[in-house]
């Protein structure tokens, strides 16, 4: 039985009307970072040019155990380091079966084995794993250019079809260096796709239709993730039904386009500063220090002693050093309840690191000394540790948007409430009493900032209460984001709250998947939650038509700049969006709002609680976001289409 037939049997036997598998929080090591030999090879690939790393892979082809890997796929599983192995097999196929005989001891007689492996792995490995990995699989696929597929005029759809779709224009728009959005939109959204017209386009030009679907999927990934699944399904069906050689080497260069668009499709990589067990709240397998050390601040290299990640060790030190503040409230039953609260932010990069001292000073000026800083590069760590005060508040990490959820999750498992602050905020008053009173009075487990004129949430300010419900909910959200590298953190955060509306029913949840099975796979119990007041107490700068504040400036607790670049992947297409789009929120081209607040000559602004409102430039920047009233009807949170009425498929 061929491998493709085997997979058809597996799919045909799957009972989608019955109970579905539960979601697993595995955080798989797609880049094989924990497999020493594979990791060394990948580093060699990353650090050398193509001919050299290709030779390195060819030297190891005979160790692949192709038949064994093929049998693993027969068992409906993936072999070890599947993405790295896919790169191996693709190159092996090219060198052995395309270029002809060589010194490599794998005869082309095994082409069927190689092909079966490639077909099986491309079928089993999700497309966004190929896009998200550090292994250059997508680039290798684009490199193949197999005959006769690459020059097949039928596959190229060189003639316009009867509906007037000029497929050549779309193919040209998706070439490197083209204005793919401007030149491709007229074809990708051609009127003939409306209604059931898309089925005719699919029949007349399969790979043109696939290219249009990938084009639209890329737009969705950068704007509204809900439609990604719709267009991704075309690829899934095609790689399932067609020979892999035809799919990867037709004239449309679809994988080359994906490679070109990687920066807009990949918001994070397959790497976290914490292990999966740490994020699941499982105790490390190694022994902890002595009983005495558990109750006292720990010195030395805890990560080496306990065999945990460096970031987890630092988080433990933060707790054991007494950085979180203790508070007392009453439980639902009226009994006393003791909790711990920690303010947490993350920072990296030359744009933000210089402002760490003033960020910390400002927090201390209003009474917040229970602050931990996730330092995502060496400069941030050095700046944090150079400040007066305990080094235990400085937690080591690496840049990733995922860290705004990973570190809070770790603290939740350690029994610590977390008030998350994006770094692009300015603290005007200590909100501790306000938020604790709100949590107590409303009996909620989560507080989230909102928006002035629409019904969206904003994940830049979030209070997480250390409960089992919140921790398990956040773990599921985090693991979903990890597996879907295109997802936006705020869209995902909102979507995973959809199972329980906020206490005032004031928001509309966003949607990140159109898959009808999403809700069956994803059934975490959502915490009880409410909004932090977005009108005046926790407003955002007027960088969008839906942000700003009204009321007295003296009532603001935390002002959010919505700068965005303090957390986004710097390789992502969204980096610098606000500034490039002319949205300054009270700043100017010459002086950004971030600098207005954190680059003042008057040091009292950062050391005295009330001094900021006495500064003319700071007050003017705040008032630039003031609005005379809040609209009575909110705009609805949702996607902004490229066209007023796209219609159809």
């Amino acid at each position: 039985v061929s491998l493709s037939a085997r997979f058809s049997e597996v799919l045909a036997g799957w009972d989608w009307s019955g109970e579905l598998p539960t979601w697993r929080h595995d955080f798989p090591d797609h880049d094989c970072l924990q497999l020493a030999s594979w990791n060394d090879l990948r580093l060699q690939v990353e650090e050398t040019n193509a001919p050299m790393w290709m030779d390195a892979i060819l030297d190891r082809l005979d160790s692949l155990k192709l038949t064994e890997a093929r049998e693993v796929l027969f068992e409906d599983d993936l072999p070890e380091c599947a993405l790295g192995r896919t790169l191996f097999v693709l190159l092996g196929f090219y060198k052995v079966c395309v270029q002809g005989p060589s010194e490599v001891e794998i005869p082309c007689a095994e082409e069927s084995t190689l092909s079966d492996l490639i077909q099986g792995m491309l079928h089993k490995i999700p497309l966004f794993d190929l896009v998200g990995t550090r292994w250059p699989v997508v680039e290798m696929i684009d490199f193949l250019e197999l005959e006769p597929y690459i020059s097949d005029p039928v596959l190229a759809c060189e003639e316009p079809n009867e509906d007037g779709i000029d497929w050549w224009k779309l193919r040209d728009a998706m070439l490197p260096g083209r204005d793919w959005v401007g030149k491709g939109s007229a074809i990708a959204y051609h009127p003939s796709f409306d209604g059931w017209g898309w089925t005719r386009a699919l029949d007349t030009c399969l790979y043109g239709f696939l290219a249009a679907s990938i084009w639209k999927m890329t737009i969705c990934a950068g704007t509204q993730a809900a439609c990604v699944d719709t267009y991704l399904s075309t690829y899934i069906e095609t790689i399932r039904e067609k020979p892999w050689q035809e799919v990867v080497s037709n004239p449309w260069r679809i994988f080359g386009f994906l490679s070109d668009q990687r920066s807009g499709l990949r918001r994070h990589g397959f790497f976290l500063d914490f292990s999966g067990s740490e994020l699941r709240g499982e105790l490390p397998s190694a022994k902890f220090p002595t009983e005495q050390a558990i109750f006292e601040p720990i010195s030395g290299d805890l990560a080496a002693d306990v065999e945990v990640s460096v970031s987890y060790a630092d988080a433990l030190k933060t707790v054991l050093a007494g950085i979180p503040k203790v508070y007392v409230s009453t439980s639902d039953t009226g009994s006393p309840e003791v909790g711990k609260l920690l303010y947490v932010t993350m920072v990296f990069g030359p744009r933000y690191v210089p402002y760490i001292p003033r960020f910390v000073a400002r927090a201390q000026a209003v009474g917040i000394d229970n602050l931990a800083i996730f330092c995502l590069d060496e400069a941030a760590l050095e700046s944090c540790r150079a400040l007066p005060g305990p080094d235990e508040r400085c937690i080591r990490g690496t840049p990733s948007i995922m860290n705004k959820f990973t570190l809070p999750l770790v603290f939740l498992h350690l029994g610590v409430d977390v008030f998350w602050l994006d770094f692009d905020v300015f603290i005007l008053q200590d909100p501790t009493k306000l938020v604790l009173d709100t949590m107590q009075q409303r009996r909620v487990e989560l507080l989230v900032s909102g928006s002035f004129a629409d019904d969206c949430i904003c994940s830049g300010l979030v209070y997480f209460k250390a409960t089992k419900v919140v921790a398990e909910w956040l773990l599921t959200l985090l693991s979903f984001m990890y597996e879907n590298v295109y997802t936006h953190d705020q869209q995902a955060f909102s979507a995973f709250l959809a199972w329980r509306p906020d206490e005032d029913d004031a928001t509309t949840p966003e949607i990140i998947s159109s898959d009808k099975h999403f809700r069956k796979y994803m059934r975490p119990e959502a915490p009880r939650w409410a909004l932090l007041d977005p009108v005046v107490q926790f407003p955002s700068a007027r960088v969008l038509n839906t942000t700003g504040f009204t009321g007295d400036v003296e009532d603001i607790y935390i002002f959010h700049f919505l700068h965005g670049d303090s957390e986004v992947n710097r390789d992502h297409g969204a980096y610098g969006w606000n500034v490039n789009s002319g949205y300054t929120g009270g700043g100017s081209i010459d002086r950004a709002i971030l600098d207005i607040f954190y680059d003042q000559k008057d040091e009292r602004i950062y050391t005295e609680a009330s001094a900021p409102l006495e500064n003319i430039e700071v007050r003017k920047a705040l008032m630039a976001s003031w609005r005379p009233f809040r609209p009575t009807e909110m705009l609805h949170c949702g996607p902004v289409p490229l066209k007023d009425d796209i219609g159809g498929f």
Side-chain angles (χ1 to χ4, degrees):
V1 181
S2 72
L3 197 61
S4 57
R6 169 68 177 169
F7 276 119
S8 295
E9 291 174 8
V10 172
L11 290 169
W14 189 261
D15 182 10
W16 287 106
S17 64
E19 184 178 357
L20 292 174
T22 57
W23 183 259
R24 296 165 56 187
H25 312 106
D26 288 341
F27 303 99
D29 182 18
H30 294 304
D31 290 334
C32 317
L33 302 174
Q34 305 303 318
L35 301 171
S37 60
W38 285 100
N39 188 51
D40 291 343
L41 182 60
R42 197 203 68 260
L43 290 173
Q44 188 175 355
V45 168
E46 292 176 342
E47 294 168 0
T48 57
N49 57 35
M52 292 180 65
W53 66 253
M54 287 181 177
D55 290 340
I57 288 179
L58 287 172
D59 290 341
R60 297 178 59 171
L61 273 176
D62 58 351
S63 66
L64 275 182
K65 300 179 180 178
L66 299 178
T67 303
E68 291 182 17
R70 185 173 181 268
E71 291 304 316
V72 170
L73 285 169
F74 271 135
E75 297 301 321
D76 198 26
D77 203 352
L78 284 170
E80 180 184 68
C81 195
L83 287 162
R85 198 176 296 264
T86 301
L87 181 65
F88 268 49
V89 178
L90 284 165
L91 180 58
F93 184 91
Y94 177 76
K95 285 290 187 179
V96 176
C97 302
V98 177
Q99 289 193 333
S102 69
E103 298 178 358
V104 181
E105 297 180 1
I106 298 182
C108 198
E110 294 197 22
E111 178 180 351
S112 61
T113 300
L114 290 166
S115 290
D116 279 352
L117 281 168
I118 296 169
Q119 185 84 42
M121 287 195 277
L122 291 182
H123 184 192
K124 289 281 291 180
I125 298 172
L127 181 61
F128 276 97
D129 285 4
L130 300 177
V131 172
T133 184
R134 290 165 62 177
W135 292 100
V137 179
V138 170
E139 289 75 13
M140 186 66 227
I141 291 174
D142 183 49
F143 176 75
L144 287 178
E145 297 188 347
L146 302 176
E147 293 289 356
Y149 312 101
I150 189 65
S151 56
D152 189 327
V154 176
L155 298 180
C157 311
E158 293 181 349
E159 298 296 328
N161 72 353
E162 59 186 25
D163 294 319
I165 302 175
D166 193 341
W167 293 112
W168 181 89
K169 286 186 177 180
L170 179 61
R171 187 151 50 92
D172 181 71
M174 296 174 72
L175 291 174
R178 300 290 201 272
D179 175 15
W180 66 277
V181 175
K183 291 182 177 297
S185 60
I187 307 301
Y189 293 119
H190 196 277
S192 65
F193 290 159
D194 292 349
W196 287 100
W198 64 269
T199 59
R200 187 166 57 250
L202 178 63
D203 291 338
T204 57
C205 185
L206 168 61
Y207 291 105
F209 185 79
L210 174 59
S213 298
I214 295 294
W215 187 100
K216 288 185 276 194
M217 181 197 76
T218 304
I219 292 290
C220 292
T223 54
Q224 183 66 22
C227 55
V228 167
D229 293 327
T230 300
Y231 301 118
L232 181 59
S233 63
T234 306
Y235 167 81
I236 294 172
E237 291 298 323
T238 304
I239 196 64
R240 179 184 301 166
E241 300 295 335
K242 296 294 182 180
W244 71 269
Q245 298 95 326
E246 181 179 302
V247 177
V248 306
S249 286
N250 64 74
W252 285 86
R253 195 183 168 268
I254 292 166
F255 285 88
F257 175 77
L258 289 170
S259 176
D260 297 338
Q261 302 305 319
R262 188 189 296 271
S263 65
L265 293 169
R266 182 178 181 268
R267 290 184 178 270
H268 62 82
F270 295 121
F271 173 78
L272 298 172
D273 289 314
F274 301 94
S275 69
S277 62
E278 291 164 356
L279 293 170
R280 291 188 293 270
E282 300 167 355
L283 290 175
S285 58
K287 294 181 179 179
F288 273 88
T290 64
E291 183 177 349
Q292 183 181 7
I294 294 296
F295 294 96
E296 296 181 357
I298 295 177
S299 59
D301 189 358
L302 178 62
D305 294 340
V306 188
E307 298 181 12
V308 295
S309 68
V310 167
S311 298
Y312 189 81
D314 286 353
L316 274 176
K317 288 183 178 182
T318 300
V319 176
L320 295 171
I323 306 297
K325 279 186 177 178
V326 177
Y327 70 89
V328 178
S329 62
T330 57
S331 67
D332 291 343
T333 61
S335 60
E337 187 176 66
V338 177
K340 295 178 181 179
L341 170 60
L342 185 67
Y343 286 81
V344 181
T345 190
M346 69 181 184
V347 59
F348 68 97
R351 186 71 179 91
Y352 300 94
V353 167
Y355 293 143
I356 290 176
R358 286 182 164 179
F359 187 98
V360 173
R362 185 62 210 161
Q364 292 174 333
V366 301
I368 299 174
D369 52 13
N370 52 328
L371 171 67
I373 301 175
F374 208 178
C375 303
L376 305 186
D377 60 21
E378 286 296 325
L381 185 64
E382 290 177 7
S383 177
C384 183
R385 288 179 172 174
L387 296 174
D391 286 350
E392 289 86 356
R393 66 185 168 191
C394 309
I395 300 171
R396 291 167 287 179
T398 55
S400 172
I401 186 61
M402 305 288 282
N403 281 332
K404 70 185 296 179
F405 298 145
T406 59
L407 185 56
L409 179 57
V410 165
F411 280 124
L412 294 180
H413 285 312
L414 294 173
V416 178
D417 294 4
V418 171
F419 196 150
W420 174 266
L421 309 172
D422 280 358
F423 193 77
D424 59 332
V425 303
F426 194 83
I427 304 172
L428 291 157
Q429 300 182 63
D430 180 4
T432 302
K433 185 179 185 304
L434 175 67
V435 295
L436 289 178
D437 287 348
T438 301
M439 300 285 286
Q440 175 83 30
Q441 294 163 8
R442 309 206 68 179
R443 296 297 177 188
V444 294
E445 302 168 283
L446 189 75
L447 292 172
V448 189
S449 53
S451 183
F452 182 81
D454 62 33
D455 56 10
C456 297
I457 65 157
C458 174
S459 60
L461 301 174
V462 184
Y463 190 106
F464 300 93
K465 187 173 177 62
T467 67
K468 182 179 179 181
V469 170
V470 175
E472 291 185 352
W473 172 84
L474 186 57
L475 175 63
T476 304
L477 163 63
L478 181 66
S479 60
F480 179 85
M481 283 186 61
Y482 178 88
E483 291 285 3
N484 296 274
V485 296
Y486 59 89
T487 48
H488 187 283
D489 60 292
Q490 186 163 289
Q491 287 182 2
F493 198 96
S494 174
F496 273 78
L497 287 172
W499 287 279
R500 183 192 291 270
D502 67 90
E503 292 295 294
D504 299 307
D505 201 19
T507 61
T508 297
E510 298 198 58
I511 302 172
I512 55 172
S513 176
S514 59
D515 188 337
K516 64 182 180 181
H517 305 298
F518 176 78
R519 293 178 70 90
K520 295 181 182 179
Y521 275 110
M522 299 295 176
R523 296 296 299 174
E525 180 184 355
R528 300 189 307 274
W529 66 286
L531 287 176
L532 293 164
D533 170 42
V535 178
V536 63
Q537 293 175 339
F538 300 94
S540 298
R542 192 172 176 174
V543 299
L544 302 171
N545 63 349
T546 57
T547 54
F549 78 96
T550 191
D552 295 331
V553 71
E554 288 79 6
D555 293 331
I556 297 176
Y557 283 82
I558 299 177
F559 186 66
H560 191 183
F561 308 149
L562 291 181
H563 203 276
D565 291 352
S566 61
E567 60 190 47
V568 75
N569 170 11
R570 280 180 279 187
D571 294 328
H572 193 270
Y575 188 78
W577 185 87
N578 280 351
V579 173
N580 295 336
S581 301
Y583 296 108
T584 60
S588 65
I589 295 177
D590 298 326
R591 188 162 168 81
I593 189 170
L594 176 75
D595 302 315
I596 291 175
F597 280 85
Y598 283 109
D599 190 25
Q600 291 292 329
K601 294 180 179 179
D602 185 358
E603 199 66 31
R604 294 184 310 111
I605 292 174
Y606 313 106
T607 59
E608 297 180 13
S610 61
L613 296 182
E614 299 170 4
N615 181 278
I616 295 176
E617 188 180 18
V618 168
R619 193 178 185 93
K620 181 179 178 181
L622 285 168
M623 293 307 297
S625 293
W626 184 85
R627 296 175 182 267
F629 58 89
R630 192 186 195 195
T632 55
E633 292 187 15
M634 299 289 100
L635 294 174
H636 286 303
C637 201
V640 179
L642 289 179
K643 297 175 65 177
D644 292 335
D645 183 15
I646 293 172
F649 186 81

